[in-house]
Amino acid sequence: MKKKVLLMGASGSGKTSMRSIIFSNNPASLTSRLGATIDVEQNHVRFLGDLILNLWDCGGQDAFMDSYLTSQRATIFQHVGVLIYVFDIESREAAKDLEYYRDCLEGLRQFSPNAAIFLLVHKMDLVRAGREVTFEKKRDELQECSPELSLSVFGTSIYDESLYKAWSNIVHTLIPNANILSTHLSTFAQACSATEVILFERTTFLVIATSSSSSSRPALSSTNGRTNNDARQSDNPANTLDPTRYERTSELIKAFKHSCSRVRGEFHSLEMELWDFTAVLDEMTKNTYVLIIVHDPSIETAALKLNIRMARRKFE
Ligand code: GTP
């Protein structure tokens, strides 16, 4: 199954930088060396077995934007599954950015009216004071441009975990069986007496699904798996965990993998036994990693690893 993902926004807004961090494992520090994208750079990223992301990184210089909106209009805007539009929060041409954005929405309305739309208010690290207020102001401004659309707007930066939160949400909408995965993860978490189980995509380390209910998992939507669990929810330590834990884990593991590659090592798995919890991160399938968090000190990591091995076939 192929899903076309359009990555658009003004030149220098950070599109190629985020693509290279998420999909090519490059560190943020190297993005300053990236040149401007000429026309469209297409990449096919195999994501979870059958799901292929057909990523169109559209260079944002005016001449290219004008051509997308005229001669290349049908080619660019047809069969789009997701539009990701990136805004540089520090842009000196905010009015022009908005005008192009409106024109792109029009193209999308014409050729792919059902496409999901994600807006990234990017380079938030450059906002020194009043980050929250600045973001909300921009979000409201973008929503006003298209009041009839339901938009998902995220504040992002390549220098923190916010990029992973946004992209995990984007990818989550593209995975057709995300709810079934969550149900299986809930069952698996119960079998392991785990507080929480999280499934990551292997290359990007984006979160695909978690065992937790949506109430304790603000970043991603919908899990069907937890029925009759409301009473247990209040006792679940997952409810008191940091709400940014998923994207922070993605970011940390990606950085760790990068360090391993620099010393020619290969990342396979991770085990941590701390005073109040145990964590095991291991391959689940050839496209995924699973992280199990347990707060019961009597549960051995070897048992968790055995459970992962036994559950593999179910998740293939
Ligand atoms: P075109 O290819 O011309 O369309 O530009 P682009 O949108 O692909 O921009 P690119 O990714 O090349 O980034 C331009 C510059 O922005 C680079 O120097 C990046 O290092 C920088 N950049 C990207 N993301 C961030 C961010 O979150 N914060 C900061 N401070 N700089 C960023």
Side-chain angles (χ1 to χ4, degrees):
M1 192 193 332
K2 242 191 206 176
K3 299 268 188 171
K4 179 172 168 184
V5 178
L6 274 189
L7 188 53
M8 302 190 90
S11 181
S13 57
K15 301 178 293 298
T16 309
S17 302
M18 55 177 78
R19 175 166 67 87
S20 79
I21 291 170
I22 299 277
F23 294 101
S24 308
N25 286 332
N26 288 327
S29 55
L30 290 187
T31 59
S32 55
R33 298 185 196 169
L34 293 167
T37 305
I38 305 302
D39 204 37
V40 180
E41 245 177 58
Q42 269 196 61
N43 279 277
H44 288 89
V45 186
R46 187 171 280 280
F47 198 93
L48 276 187
D50 290 344
L51 177 62
I52 295 171
L53 298 191
N54 183 10
L55 195 59
W56 291 42
D57 180 352
C58 304
Q61 291 176 33
D62 290 358
F64 301 135
M65 291 297 278
D66 292 338
S67 142
Y68 308 148
L69 293 163
T70 52
S71 57
Q72 296 192 71
R73 193 174 178 90
T75 318
I76 296 285
F77 292 106
Q78 68 190 353
H79 308 308
V80 177
V82 172
L83 167 70
I84 304 166
Y85 207 99
V86 183
F87 295 89
D88 177 347
I89 190 69
E90 294 281 277
S91 170
R92 272 178 256 144
E93 298 184 300
K96 190 176 81 179
D97 296 349
L98 274 187
E99 215 168 290
Y100 273 130
Y101 164 62
R102 279 201 201 95
D103 292 343
C104 288
L105 282 187
E106 203 41 57
L108 203 65
R109 204 171 287 138
Q110 188 181 354
F111 290 99
S112 302
N114 296 323
I117 302 171
F118 289 87
L119 308 182
L120 306 188
V121 179
H122 194 51
K123 304 195 185 179
M124 286 304 294
D125 57 288
L126 296 177
V127 181
R128 290 273 164 254
R131 208 168 272 184
E132 192 77 14
V133 177
T134 311
F135 169 71
E136 280 168 11
K137 211 172 133 210
K138 187 72 189 175
R139 188 189 55 197
D140 294 347
E141 183 184 53
L142 295 172
Q143 188 67 65
E144 271 169 29
C145 285
S146 41
E148 75 289 1
L149 292 176
S150 114
L151 303 168
S152 302
V153 191
F154 291 89
T156 52
S157 163
I158 57 169
Y159 296 109
D160 62 35
E161 71 279 358
S162 57
L163 193 63
Y164 288 93
K165 177 176 176 175
W167 277 86
S168 285
N169 274 271
I170 293 167
V171 161
H172 191 76
T173 60
L174 294 170
I175 298 170
N177 56 356
N179 286 341
I180 299 170
L181 275 175
S182 292
T183 308
H184 288 328
L185 285 181
S186 296
T187 311
F188 183 60
Q190 280 168 25
C192 296
S193 301
T195 309
E196 190 166 48
V197 174
I198 305 152
L199 198 67
F200 297 94
E201 197 278 331
R202 188 190 185 99
T203 333
T204 59
F205 250 86
L206 294 173
V207 176
I208 292 167
T210 78
S211 64
S212 299
S213 72
S214 47
S215 61
S216 61
R217 192 166 55 95
L220 297 172
S221 60
S222 74
T223 42
N224 288 341
R226 303 295 285 259
T227 50
N228 306 324
N229 262 5
D230 289 353
R232 233 173 302 151
Q233 284 286 324
S234 54
D235 304 332
N236 190 344
N239 294 339
T240 59
L241 297 178
D242 184 341
T244 64
R245 62 194 180 277
Y246 304 119
E247 51 269 25
R248 287 177 69 185
T249 307
S250 298
E251 192 198 15
L252 283 169
I253 300 292
K254 281 289 277 283
F256 184 60
K257 276 179 77 178
H258 183 70
S259 305
C260 290
S261 69
R262 285 179 62 184
V263 292
R264 293 178 199 278
E266 211 179 311
F267 175 82
H268 287 294
S269 64
L270 202 71
E271 288 173 34
M272 273 193 285
E273 283 183 72
L274 301 174
W275 68 273
D276 62 340
F277 76 93
T278 303
V280 169
L281 177 68
D282 203 351
E283 281 179 13
M284 182 55 113
T285 67
K286 62 181 189 304
N287 298 305
T288 57
Y289 267 84
V290 70
L291 175 64
I292 310 178
I293 306 290
V294 175
H295 281 80
D296 179 346
S298 67
I299 295 172
E300 302 284 342
T301 54
L304 296 175
K305 293 191 91 162
L306 183 66
N307 278 354
I308 294 174
R309 212 179 316 147
M310 285 166 53
R312 262 178 200 143
R313 269 202 23 221
K314 184 88 187 159
F315 284 86
E316 280 293 0

